[in-house]
Amino acid sequence: MRKLRMGMVGGGEGAFIGAVHRMAAALDGNIELVCGCFSADAERSKRSGRGLYLADERIYTDYQQMMRAEAALPATLRMDFVAIVTPNFMHLPVALAALAAGFHVLSDKPATMSVVEAKVLREAVAASGLSYGLTHPYIGYPLVQEARRRVAAGELGAIRRVVVEYHQGWLAGEVGGNKQADWRTDPSRAGISCAMGDIGVHAFNLAETVLGQQVSELCADLSTMVAGRTLDDDGNVLLRFEGGARGVLMASQIAVGEENALRLRVYGECAALEWCQEEPNSLWLKSNEQPAQRIRSGWAGGDTGLESLQRTPAGHPEGYIEAFANIYQQFAAAIGGQSVPQQAALAGIEEGLRGMAFIETVVAASASDRKWHPLRID
Amino acid sequence: MRKLRMGMVGGGEGAFIGAVHRMAAALDGNIELVCGCFSADAERSKRSGRGLYLADERIYTDYQQMMRAEAALPATLRMDFVAIVTPNFMHLPVALAALAAGFHVLSDKPATMSVVEAKVLREAVAASGLSYGLTHPYIGYPLVQEARRRVAAGELGAIRRVVVEYHQGWLAGEVGGNKQADWRTDPSRAGISCAMGDIGVHAFNLAETVLGQQVSELCADLSTMVAGRTLDDDGNVLLRFEGGARGVLMASQIAVGEENALRLRVYGECAALEWCQEEPNSLWLKSNEQPAQRIRSGWAGGDTGLESLQRTPAGHPEGYIEAFANIYQQFAAAIGGQSVPQQAALAGIEEGLRGMAFIETVVAASASDRKWHPLRID
Amino acid sequence: MRKLRMGMVGGGEGAFIGAVHRMAAALDGNIELVCGCFSADAERSKRSGRGLYLADERIYTDYQQMMRAEAALPATLRMDFVAIVTPNFMHLPVALAALAAGFHVLSDKPATMSVVEAKVLREAVAASGLSYGLTHPYIGYPLVQEARRRVAAGELGAIRRVVVEYHQGWLAGEVGGNKQADWRTDPSRAGISCAMGDIGVHAFNLAETVLGQQVSELCADLSTMVAGRTLDDDGNVLLRFEGGARGVLMASQIAVGEENALRLRVYGECAALEWCQEEPNSLWLKSNEQPAQRIRSGWAGGDTGLESLQRTPAGHPEGYIEAFANIYQQFAAAIGGQSVPQQAALAGIEEGLRGMAFIETVVAASASDRKWHPLRID
Amino acid sequence: MRKLRMGMVGGGEGAFIGAVHRMAAALDGNIELVCGCFSADAERSKRSGRGLYLADERIYTDYQQMMRAEAALPATLRMDFVAIVTPNFMHLPVALAALAAGFHVLSDKPATMSVVEAKVLREAVAASGLSYGLTHPYIGYPLVQEARRRVAAGELGAIRRVVVEYHQGWLAGEVGGNKQADWRTDPSRAGISCAMGDIGVHAFNLAETVLGQQVSELCADLSTMVAGRTLDDDGNVLLRFEGGARGVLMASQIAVGEENALRLRVYGECAALEWCQEEPNSLWLKSNEQPAQRIRSGWAGGDTGLESLQRTPAGHPEGYIEAFANIYQQFAAAIGGQSVPQQAALAGIEEGLRGMAFIETVVAASASDRKWHPLRID
């Protein structure tokens, strides 16, 4: 029994999501960071790697060279998988290089820059026989998985109505000089959408994951509220699900004063569920017959397997990093050959492809005079 | 100085909204119920009126006869205005009869059954020189008026995004035998829409009132989720406002487990406001620069005039009946020649016409393949 | 069938609680104000009465004269009961005069200025054969009565722990010139306690009412935090109940930033209840075995009789005035010979006496070096 | 630059707090677990250590032998500090052994079993010249430190009133067979108090830390609500602070339905703060002049140094493990010679001694007929 060895591409000094990935990987003590290519700038990559206690020979400047060098190391030393935490446009090439060199991949979302790219990646994953995971961290929250379990078990009856929203305010003004904002609003690095591509896709993934069914068609209205931007910073989408449910998806980054307000409401024939990421340790179950129930994480709900997603007893708040770590643990179990909680969902290349199709369909639908647009992957 | 004298049409035994109107009228002690036509059934009208301490000669069975009889009474006795609390299809004929007989009208919403009818009513009101008020009670909440005041004062900057929703669950199942449900789901008595006509129009009025601007076009998707119904019981609408803001309006009566969840969020360039009818004594003000502020009713905010909408100090919850009573007080002030708080909005025939246009446009838009439909009153 | 006729002593222009009593009495349409002695100042009383649409001959300046004059009126005109809304020191003399003249009494709390006075009043009530009600409005909230019903039904098991608190902030600074503050901090008009006498006694009444058992002994620490005051403006009390439960009662008027935060938590062997006056339409039921349940007013809980305390469906917030009106309705039913909901508690002279004993015991206990002091009425 | 090396005593399979310590230590990637004595049972210790990826030669069965063996290792290998996560009665002997062998100590609370023991430990720490930290994790929350900063900066004015409470329900029934419950209710392992010793002392530490002043005297009422127990499972304490503030401390483990409800309210002359551990990412600032403000973790409040306690942007919930990790980071900085945020409080032996004095004083006060008892360390 040994720790899994992780390499990282991206996530140098000042990066947000790279540090989150490292904390998520470290939390449970069974994954260690052994190498990384943190920046294409040699000095910056070196400084970043040393700050992470890596030996100089495991700090790389070129991700392709990293794949070759790691593959050449003895099995007792070389990394087991690579975490990709670069800006969006680099997700595909790094993933392809890693798979080609025989490494499992855990990639930040979105999977690629387009549906076409995602199909390329899907083929590469299939051909490699390796594992590919996509970090949609919000579905790593225990109560999101609990919501999914209850929907799947039929507790809500047939689903009729879905409202999923993701409101942020940080792009409400000019944010010049903010590194996080810069690449997200730049089509060459972020892709064809900002708000929908960055956060709308999380909302979409959350809804499809909890419902266990797919959006069949949609109608969209994207906006660019801040002058000078090319991409959308706000948008609203009408949804129709294959099972007959209807609903709304909202994503905005100009909702001034909002922090990270991802919220899902699912109404079935018999009962409804409501969950909000900013208070992630409560899940509301509502019906017309009983008082609303506040289901809490850390519940002692028996043999669902989901209790393994929780690290502390009820009343000890767990949050974003723990949810993210659940993604890492499930990925680690998958590549380590260990069993994962049967109920727990982990996003992979199929979900990545769905996400890209969502983004492209929404952008096309918004530009169209026609109301409904199928969300289909050919 | 004397109390205003109110007559009522509709609102007999077992009616919901009639009793609310009476409590709202009675609360502040300056309006007295003096007569009524509570039902077309003579016995039922009689029993209802006696239960309200009315003398037999002021209890009517025929609203037209009531108008004639009251008009014939000496000025010191006859009613000053009539409150209309019938099912929707009776709103217009009763209002026309009252205006023709010289009585001010305070009508439950919607104003009429159609835009065509609403235009007829608008002409009748104009010709009469009398006052016509429409009870959209939710805009009677002090903090809704406070929100409107702040938007008008420019505290939020230009408005960019609006989310208004009205979720109820009581029509999620079969509700046979429920008198309230019966007429609302019956086109001949409710009109062409159930959810949008009954509650969506409140959400619409709330949004236009707080914003102080109009919806210019919309895109709609209405659903009938419960088998056997003719009218919509659920719907989602994309909104565009004349000032450039965009947003979403949701109205559902099959959102199981929800009670009366009317909620408004308005995001401007600088700040946002959020208000929820089920916790009406708090109004949230958010921005990117400051911690969120919870503005409370009973605030001592000085010379805005709005403090007159509040009856008790902060911390003494006021609710639906008090909001409704504010509508009555403003109407009473208008017909009594007294001044009303300058800032306070009261819905009249113009808002009634807007409401009918909203309902008709939403229904037409939902049936159309075209995305956008102007909301225009010719 | 006729309306009940109410007279009022106190509550002239600018008074807070008098206006609340009038709204509470008016809300349900079955009580009418027919006379009043609103001030010892003749002009002020006259102006107040005229503002309430009273005829001049029913506006009095001297409450004793009012009792005589009303008693001399024919039964078809004279008042049925008197509402006493003066500062505390006048409660006893007005009540005695009313009872002596044959009128039922509904008095604002506290019943009197002392235990000795309360015993005098108890005897007078008993001797008169008339009804005496005390307005502890908070127990008029439907969910407080629902909490009481559940405790009485044994749903919580034996009660072990009680936390009741009443936090206000309005006396945190100097409040010179505030009429409400003036008399409350003046021993000659308020009695021997400010915070405990004004609000602590509500918390005490709430706890004993919901528990259906009495405090047997207590330990107290009262403070005067604002320099220059004679009376307490803050205090904490350890409680022991006759049934073995223990707990804490807190009352403070210098809890800056708090509005009217009366909150009760009751923990039994099996379950707990929590209710907060500022969000009065929710009652929390908690246990170790089930998710917490949010019981809502307007619940359809069947044949408990308590549904009559609610005027609108769930989701239509009701508040302080409606709770106060429930007290009026129960009192009206009692004196009108009508049945009241069996479960609903109404405070009377016994509760008034308990309240006075609480105040005196707390003040004595605070001054003592001994820890425990029995709360006993000899 | 290298990682700090941690040893652990206690925390074998099935232990709760040991796992939390390990996650807290691992989160930020700069501390590695290198050895441990996880149980006095050799097999169990071995299994536990191997599960943590330790080499067999660094897994010990005897903590004294561990100290000797580690001290004998070369400086490049041996541990830097030891984390003590045993039941209470072992805290002192392990700490003394570690200090004697030259190792810094980070101990779970309480520091020892008694004041006498704590004084012994204080002398040993002083004599050793080594660092001693005590894990009161709740003061590791960013917003607790922010509260402390604001109090210290005088934003609240002089403090008048403190309410600190810690409600749990998990010991409400018989919990036979629960390992966590077993030792906590056993005087030989837990000490002279259960509820006050286990959680009351956290509340006490939280209050003294945020206020930056000490409790000068107290009055206590402890209860044993579940039959058959020797120690208290519930208690209430009246507090007086050296600066004149008064207040209440509550601690209960029979508050059925409560999870881990640690909550602090501090009222000053000008403003008040409120924080609750179960929603740790919000801190409420209230006053009489302004709307209540919800200060959020992840605030961009400038140069306070406290932003380093937060790992993600606002809206990404952080919780108990992150707070615990902040304690580890501060301890690591202290022993590593790095600077810590100036404002951030870390509990040490003085706080440990205060805690023991609190427990002993509360127990003695509860048994006494005298009201007030000084909380003094001679």
Side-chain angles (χ1 to χ4, degrees):
Chain A
M1 189 174 172
R2 63 170 181 86
K3 295 189 185 187
L4 282 173
R5 293 185 292 268
M6 172 171 84
M8 177 169 272
V9 177
E13 295 169 349
F16 158 55
I17 206 66
V20 170
H21 275 254
R22 288 191 295 265
M23 290 187 283
L27 185 66
D28 293 297
N30 59 345
I31 299 171
E32 62 181 331
L33 181 70
V34 297
C35 66
C37 172
F38 302 101
S39 171
D41 176 296
E43 266 319 293
R44 195 165 159 266
S45 190
K46 195 67 74 183
R47 274 200 318 275
S48 299
R50 285 175 177 169
L52 299 167
Y53 308 99
L54 295 182
D56 279 5
E57 65 271 20
R58 304 291 286 276
I59 307 173
Y60 305 91
T61 305
D62 174 334
Y63 70 87
Q64 290 172 308
Q65 202 263 324
M66 168 173 157
M67 301 305 162
R68 285 192 299 270
E70 288 291 317
L73 287 175
T76 53
L77 286 178
R78 72 168 168 256
M79 67 176 177
D80 294 301
F81 73 98
V82 65
I84 304 176
V85 295
T86 61
N88 299 353
F89 73 104
M90 290 297 293
H91 289 178
L92 177 67
V94 178
L96 292 178
L99 292 168
F103 297 111
H104 303 290
V105 170
L106 185 58
S107 172
D108 209 76
K109 60 96 264 202
T112 61
M113 292 283 275
S114 68
V115 168
V116 166
E117 280 192 8
K119 287 180 176 173
V120 170
L121 183 52
R122 178 166 66 174
E123 287 199 19
V125 171
S128 72
L130 295 163
S131 289
Y132 174 88
L134 192 66
T135 53
H136 276 298
Y138 302 110
I139 65 169
Y141 277 107
L143 289 178
V144 169
Q145 295 290 345
E146 173 69 4
R148 179 170 172 269
R149 187 187 69 76
R150 288 178 183 254
V151 170
E155 283 190 32
L156 280 64
I159 305 304
R160 289 170 167 176
R161 178 169 180 77
V162 177
V163 181
V164 63
E165 56 186 274
Y166 201 150
H167 283 99
Q168 295 182 332
W170 70 297
L171 294 179
E174 291 306 322
V175 285
N178 178 320
K179 185 177 167 180
Q180 300 302 324
D182 277 357
W183 73 257
R184 279 180 176 79
T185 55
D186 173 2
S188 69
R189 287 177 288 172
I192 60 171
S193 166
C194 177
M196 283 295 156
D198 193 31
I199 61 173
V201 72
H202 279 305
F204 172 76
N205 174 260
L206 177 65
E208 287 206 340
T209 299
V210 170
L211 261 71
Q213 56 175 276
Q214 296 190 339
V215 171
S216 54
E217 53 183 345
L218 55 79
C219 166
D221 186 28
L222 306 192
S223 310
T224 301
M225 287 291 175
V226 174
R229 279 190 191 141
T230 311
L231 301 179
D232 58 292
D233 49 21
D234 179 89
N236 302 304
V237 184
L238 302 179
L239 302 176
R240 291 183 167 182
F241 287 83
E242 55 184 353
R246 300 196 181 176
V248 178
L249 182 150
M250 298 176 257
S252 179
Q253 295 178 309
I254 57 87
V256 62
E258 300 293 354
E259 296 177 348
N260 201 39
L262 173 62
R263 184 183 179 211
L264 175 67
R265 288 175 276 178
V266 179
Y267 299 94
E269 284 179 342
C270 326
L273 286 169
E274 179 172 347
W275 179 82
C276 184
Q277 193 269 154
E278 293 189 350
E279 294 187 14
N281 297 290
S282 293
L283 172 69
W284 286 88
L285 175 66
K286 299 180 178 180
S287 78
N288 283 356
E289 283 76 35
Q290 297 292 330
Q293 293 184 38
R294 191 181 61 180
I295 299 163
R296 295 278 289 168
S297 55
W299 75 100
D303 304 322
T304 62
L306 295 177
E307 63 279 8
S308 68
L309 302 177
Q310 190 77 14
R311 290 165 183 79
T312 51
H316 296 75
E318 300 194 11
Y320 178 72
I321 296 172
E322 287 79 10
F324 219 118
N326 285 338
I327 305 293
Y328 263 85
Q329 288 305 306
Q330 290 175 67
F331 183 73
I335 68 175
Q338 300 156 36
S339 67
V340 285
Q342 212 178 349
Q343 306 273 9
L346 174 67
I349 185 59
E350 290 302 331
E351 287 75 15
L353 192 48
R354 289 288 302 165
M356 295 317 305
F358 168 75
I359 295 169
E360 292 191 359
T361 307
V362 162
V363 170
S366 180
S368 165
D369 288 336
R370 190 158 42 87
K371 191 150 92 179
W372 294 108
H373 296 256
L375 174 48
R376 197 165 33 213
I377 297 165
D378 302 313
Chain B
M1 188 174 174
R2 63 170 180 86
K3 294 190 186 187
L4 282 174
R5 292 184 294 267
M6 173 171 84
M8 177 168 273
V9 177
E13 295 169 347
F16 158 55
I17 206 66
V20 170
H21 276 253
R22 289 190 295 265
M23 290 186 283
L27 185 66
D28 294 296
N30 59 344
I31 298 170
E32 62 180 332
L33 181 70
V34 296
C35 66
C37 171
F38 303 100
S39 172
D41 175 297
E43 266 319 293
R44 193 162 162 269
S45 190
K46 195 67 73 184
R47 273 200 317 275
S48 300
R50 285 175 177 169
L52 299 166
Y53 309 98
L54 296 181
D56 280 4
E57 66 271 19
R58 305 291 286 276
I59 307 174
Y60 305 91
T61 305
D62 174 333
Y63 70 86
Q64 290 172 308
Q65 202 263 325
M66 167 173 157
M67 301 305 162
R68 286 191 299 271
E70 288 290 316
L73 287 175
T76 53
L77 286 179
R78 73 165 166 258
M79 67 174 177
D80 294 300
F81 73 98
V82 65
I84 304 176
V85 295
T86 61
N88 299 352
F89 73 105
M90 291 297 293
H91 289 179
L92 177 67
V94 179
L96 292 178
L99 293 168
F103 297 112
H104 303 290
V105 170
L106 185 58
S107 173
D108 209 76
K109 60 96 262 200
T112 61
M113 293 283 275
S114 68
V115 169
V116 166
E117 281 192 9
K119 288 180 175 173
V120 170
L121 184 52
R122 179 167 65 174
E123 287 198 20
V125 171
S128 73
L130 295 162
S131 290
Y132 174 87
L134 192 65
T135 53
H136 276 298
Y138 302 110
I139 66 169
Y141 278 106
L143 289 178
V144 169
Q145 296 289 346
E146 173 69 4
R148 180 170 172 269
R149 186 187 69 76
R150 288 178 182 253
V151 170
E155 283 190 31
L156 279 64
I159 305 304
R160 290 170 166 175
R161 177 168 180 80
V162 176
V163 181
V164 64
E165 55 188 274
Y166 200 151
H167 282 100
Q168 295 182 332
W170 70 297
L171 293 180
E174 291 306 321
V175 286
N178 179 321
K179 185 176 165 180
Q180 300 303 324
D182 277 358
W183 73 257
R184 280 180 174 79
T185 55
D186 172 2
S188 69
R189 288 178 287 172
I192 61 171
S193 167
C194 177
M196 282 295 156
D198 192 30
I199 61 174
V201 72
H202 279 305
F204 171 78
N205 174 260
L206 178 65
E208 287 205 340
T209 299
V210 170
L211 260 71
Q213 56 174 276
Q214 296 190 340
V215 171
S216 54
E217 53 182 346
L218 56 78
C219 166
D221 185 28
L222 306 192
S223 312
T224 302
M225 287 291 175
V226 175
R229 277 188 194 142
T230 311
L231 301 178
D232 59 293
D233 49 23
D234 178 89
N236 302 304
V237 184
L238 302 179
L239 302 175
R240 291 182 168 182
F241 287 83
E242 56 184 353
R246 300 196 181 177
V248 178
L249 182 149
M250 298 176 257
S252 179
Q253 295 178 308
I254 56 88
V256 61
E258 300 293 353
E259 296 177 348
N260 201 38
L262 173 62
R263 183 182 179 212
L264 175 66
R265 288 175 277 179
V266 180
Y267 299 95
E269 283 178 341
C270 326
L273 286 169
E274 180 172 346
W275 179 81
C276 184
Q277 194 268 152
E278 294 189 350
E279 295 187 14
N281 296 291
S282 293
L283 171 70
W284 286 88
L285 175 65
K286 298 180 178 180
S287 78
N288 283 355
E289 284 76 36
Q290 297 292 331
Q293 293 184 37
R294 191 180 60 179
I295 299 163
R296 296 277 289 168
S297 54
W299 76 99
D303 304 322
T304 62
L306 295 177
E307 63 278 8
S308 68
L309 301 177
Q310 189 77 14
R311 290 164 182 81
T312 51
H316 296 75
E318 300 194 11
Y320 178 72
I321 296 171
E322 287 80 8
F324 218 118
N326 285 338
I327 304 294
Y328 264 84
Q329 288 305 305
Q330 290 175 67
F331 183 74
I335 68 175
Q338 299 156 36
S339 70
V340 285
Q342 211 177 350
Q343 306 273 8
L346 175 67
I349 185 58
E350 290 303 330
E351 287 75 15
L353 191 47
R354 290 286 303 164
M356 295 318 304
F358 168 75
I359 295 169
E360 292 191 358
T361 307
V362 162
V363 170
S366 181
S368 164
D369 288 336
R370 191 157 42 86
K371 191 149 94 178
W372 294 108
H373 296 255
L375 175 47
R376 198 165 34 214
I377 297 165
D378 302 313
Chain C
M1 189 175 171
R2 63 171 180 83
K3 295 190 186 187
L4 282 173
R5 294 185 292 268
M6 173 171 84
M8 176 169 274
V9 177
E13 297 170 348
F16 157 55
I17 206 65
V20 170
H21 276 254
R22 288 191 296 265
M23 289 186 283
L27 184 66
D28 294 296
N30 59 344
I31 299 170
E32 62 181 331
L33 181 71
V34 296
C35 66
C37 171
F38 302 101
S39 171
D41 176 296
E43 264 319 293
R44 197 165 158 265
S45 191
K46 195 67 74 186
R47 272 200 318 275
S48 300
R50 285 174 176 169
L52 299 166
Y53 308 99
L54 296 183
D56 279 5
E57 66 271 20
R58 303 292 284 276
I59 307 173
Y60 305 91
T61 305
D62 175 334
Y63 70 86
Q64 289 172 308
Q65 202 263 326
M66 166 173 159
M67 302 304 162
R68 285 192 301 270
E70 288 291 317
L73 287 174
T76 53
L77 285 179
R78 73 165 168 258
M79 69 176 176
D80 294 301
F81 73 99
V82 65
I84 304 177
V85 294
T86 62
N88 299 352
F89 73 104
M90 291 296 294
H91 289 179
L92 178 66
V94 178
L96 291 179
L99 292 168
F103 297 112
H104 303 289
V105 169
L106 185 58
S107 173
D108 209 77
K109 60 95 261 199
T112 61
M113 291 284 275
S114 68
V115 169
V116 167
E117 281 192 9
K119 287 180 176 173
V120 170
L121 183 53
R122 179 166 64 175
E123 286 198 22
V125 170
S128 74
L130 295 162
S131 289
Y132 174 89
L134 191 66
T135 52
H136 277 297
Y138 301 111
I139 65 170
Y141 277 108
L143 289 178
V144 169
Q145 296 290 346
E146 173 69 4
R148 181 172 172 267
R149 187 188 69 77
R150 288 177 182 254
V151 170
E155 283 190 31
L156 279 65
I159 304 305
R160 289 170 165 177
R161 177 169 182 79
V162 177
V163 181
V164 63
E165 55 187 276
Y166 201 150
H167 283 100
Q168 295 181 333
W170 69 298
L171 294 179
E174 292 306 322
V175 284
N178 178 320
K179 185 177 165 181
Q180 299 303 325
D182 277 358
W183 73 258
R184 279 181 175 79
T185 56
D186 173 1
S188 69
R189 287 177 287 171
I192 61 171
S193 167
C194 177
M196 282 295 156
D198 192 31
I199 61 174
V201 72
H202 278 306
F204 172 77
N205 174 261
L206 178 65
E208 287 204 340
T209 298
V210 171
L211 261 70
Q213 57 174 277
Q214 297 189 338
V215 171
S216 54
E217 53 183 347
L218 57 78
C219 166
D221 186 28
L222 306 191
S223 312
T224 302
M225 287 291 175
V226 174
R229 277 188 193 142
T230 311
L231 300 178
D232 57 291
D233 49 21
D234 178 89
N236 302 305
V237 185
L238 302 179
L239 302 176
R240 290 181 168 183
F241 287 83
E242 54 184 354
R246 300 194 181 178
V248 179
L249 182 150
M250 298 177 257
S252 178
Q253 296 177 309
I254 56 87
V256 61
E258 300 292 354
E259 295 177 349
N260 201 38
L262 172 63
R263 184 183 178 210
L264 175 67
R265 289 175 276 178
V266 180
Y267 300 95
E269 284 179 341
C270 326
L273 288 169
E274 180 172 346
W275 179 81
C276 184
Q277 194 270 154
E278 294 189 349
E279 295 186 15
N281 296 292
S282 292
L283 171 70
W284 286 88
L285 175 66
K286 298 180 178 179
S287 78
N288 283 355
E289 284 76 36
Q290 297 292 332
Q293 293 185 36
R294 191 180 61 179
I295 299 163
R296 295 279 289 167
S297 54
W299 74 101
D303 304 322
T304 63
L306 295 177
E307 64 278 9
S308 67
L309 302 177
Q310 189 77 15
R311 289 165 184 79
T312 51
H316 296 76
E318 301 195 11
Y320 178 72
I321 295 171
E322 288 80 8
F324 218 118
N326 284 339
I327 305 293
Y328 263 85
Q329 287 306 305
Q330 291 175 65
F331 183 74
I335 69 176
Q338 300 155 34
S339 69
V340 286
Q342 212 178 349
Q343 306 274 8
L346 174 67
I349 185 58
E350 290 302 330
E351 287 74 16
L353 191 47
R354 289 289 300 166
M356 295 318 304
F358 168 75
I359 295 169
E360 292 191 358
T361 306
V362 162
V363 170
S366 180
S368 165
D369 288 337
R370 189 156 44 84
K371 192 150 94 181
W372 294 108
H373 296 255
L375 174 47
R376 197 163 35 214
I377 297 166
D378 303 314
Chain D
M1 188 173 173
R2 63 172 180 84
K3 295 190 184 185
L4 282 173
R5 293 185 292 267
M6 173 171 84
M8 177 168 274
V9 177
E13 296 168 347
F16 157 54
I17 206 66
V20 171
H21 275 254
R22 287 190 296 265
M23 290 187 282
L27 184 66
D28 293 297
N30 58 344
I31 299 171
E32 62 181 331
L33 181 70
V34 296
C35 66
C37 171
F38 303 100
S39 171
D41 176 295
E43 265 319 292
R44 196 165 160 266
S45 189
K46 194 68 73 183
R47 272 200 318 274
S48 300
R50 285 174 177 168
L52 299 166
Y53 308 99
L54 295 182
D56 279 4
E57 66 271 18
R58 303 293 284 276
I59 307 173
Y60 305 91
T61 306
D62 175 334
Y63 70 86
Q64 289 171 309
Q65 202 263 326
M66 167 173 158
M67 302 304 163
R68 284 191 301 270
E70 288 291 316
L73 288 174
T76 52
L77 286 179
R78 72 165 168 258
M79 68 175 176
D80 294 301
F81 73 98
V82 64
I84 303 177
V85 294
T86 62
N88 299 353
F89 73 104
M90 291 297 294
H91 289 178
L92 178 66
V94 178
L96 291 179
L99 293 169
F103 297 112
H104 303 290
V105 169
L106 185 58
S107 173
D108 209 77
K109 60 97 257 196
T112 61
M113 292 282 276
S114 68
V115 168
V116 166
E117 281 192 9
K119 288 180 175 173
V120 169
L121 183 53
R122 178 167 64 174
E123 286 199 20
V125 170
S128 73
L130 295 162
S131 289
Y132 174 88
L134 192 66
T135 52
H136 276 298
Y138 301 111
I139 65 169
Y141 277 108
L143 289 178
V144 169
Q145 296 289 345
E146 174 69 4
R148 180 171 171 267
R149 186 187 71 77
R150 287 177 183 255
V151 170
E155 282 190 31
L156 279 64
I159 305 304
R160 289 169 166 176
R161 177 169 182 80
V162 177
V163 181
V164 62
E165 55 187 274
Y166 200 150
H167 282 100
Q168 294 182 333
W170 69 297
L171 294 179
E174 292 305 321
V175 284
N178 178 321
K179 186 176 166 181
Q180 299 303 324
D182 277 357
W183 73 258
R184 279 180 175 80
T185 56
D186 173 1
S188 69
R189 287 177 287 173
I192 60 172
S193 167
C194 176
M196 283 295 157
D198 193 31
I199 60 174
V201 72
H202 279 305
F204 172 77
N205 174 260
L206 178 65
E208 286 205 340
T209 299
V210 170
L211 262 70
Q213 57 175 274
Q214 297 190 338
V215 171
S216 54
E217 53 183 346
L218 56 78
C219 166
D221 186 27
L222 306 192
S223 311
T224 302
M225 286 291 174
V226 174
R229 275 187 195 144
T230 311
L231 301 178
D232 58 291
D233 49 22
D234 178 89
N236 302 303
V237 184
L238 302 179
L239 301 175
R240 290 182 167 183
F241 287 83
E242 55 184 355
R246 299 196 183 176
V248 178
L249 182 151
M250 298 176 257
S252 178
Q253 295 178 308
I254 56 87
V256 62
E258 299 292 355
E259 296 177 349
N260 200 39
L262 173 63
R263 184 182 178 211
L264 175 67
R265 289 175 276 178
V266 180
Y267 299 95
E269 284 179 341
C270 327
L273 287 169
E274 179 172 346
W275 180 81
C276 184
Q277 193 270 153
E278 294 189 348
E279 296 186 14
N281 296 292
S282 293
L283 171 70
W284 286 88
L285 175 67
K286 298 180 178 180
S287 78
N288 283 355
E289 283 75 36
Q290 297 292 331
Q293 293 185 37
R294 190 180 61 179
I295 299 163
R296 295 278 291 168
S297 54
W299 74 99
D303 304 321
T304 63
L306 295 177
E307 63 279 8
S308 67
L309 302 177
Q310 190 76 14
R311 289 165 183 79
T312 51
H316 296 76
E318 300 194 12
Y320 178 72
I321 296 172
E322 287 80 9
F324 218 118
N326 284 339
I327 305 294
Y328 263 85
Q329 287 306 305
Q330 290 175 67
F331 183 74
I335 68 176
Q338 300 155 34
S339 69
V340 286
Q342 213 177 350
Q343 306 273 9
L346 173 68
I349 185 59
E350 291 302 330
E351 287 75 15
L353 191 48
R354 289 289 300 165
M356 295 317 305
F358 168 75
I359 295 169
E360 292 191 359
T361 306
V362 162
V363 171
S366 180
S368 165
D369 288 337
R370 190 157 45 85
K371 192 149 93 180
W372 294 107
H373 296 256
L375 174 48
R376 198 164 35 212
I377 297 165
D378 302 314

